[in-house]
Amino acid sequence: MYLHRSLEIGDLETICLFPQSQEELFYMSPRFVYPLTPDQIMNLAKDRFEPTVILEDAKNEVVAYANIYADELEENSFWLGNVIVSPESRGKGASQYLLNVMSEKAKNTLKTEKLKLACHSTNSRGLAFYSKSGFKPFDMKIHDIGSKKFITIHMIKNLV
């Protein structure tokens, strides 16, 4: 039902349509400014590994995107980043396929035994999904953004 491949320049405009609000874009990356633009994706992706898109097999169209980045504090440790699924593909298995692909890339290509991710506390759907997929909380950070405070929950999954 789904296929995957590396990100291509032609995918960027489609990915920019996935976040439906500033809040959804914040979940994808607090560094992004709404509305998302191809330049924002490319500027962040240049320091990332395995930028990957998921394609719906029947239509051959991009339905999800993610990448991986290195942990600055721990050697051979990596984080899943910029996870986003098209609104039309949510709840249809694309996110699980994306998570499986990215976990395999972290394990087999980057040779790491665990994968981390950050999920914001207001993203209850994401937290439930990651928990169901085997990720466990290990830390949290409080961020001040403007006059608001946000809690980010750090989660980890063993890949071995």
Side-chain angles (χ1 to χ4, degrees), residues 71-84:
D71 188 324
E72 296 174 359
L73 303 176
E74 188 178 344
E75 190 175 326
N76 198 37
S77 182
F78 296 92
W79 293 79
L80 180 64
N82 303 135
V83 176
I84 189 77

Side-chain angles (χ1 to χ4, degrees), residues 21-62:
S21 65
Q22 175 62 47
E23 183 178 30
E24 282 189 13
L25 184 60
F26 181 77
Y27 295 161
M28 185 180 178
S29 174
R31 296 183 193 176
F32 290 153
V33 176
Y34 192 79
L36 184 58
T37 63
D39 286 344
Q40 291 182 77
I41 296 170
M42 289 308 296
N43 286 338
L44 197 57
K46 67 184 174 191
D47 296 324
R48 303 290 173 110
F49 302 98
E50 303 298 326
T52 302
V53 294
I54 302 305
L55 305 164
E56 186 176 347
D57 191 18
K59 298 179 185 175
N60 198 35
E61 67 182 36
V62 175

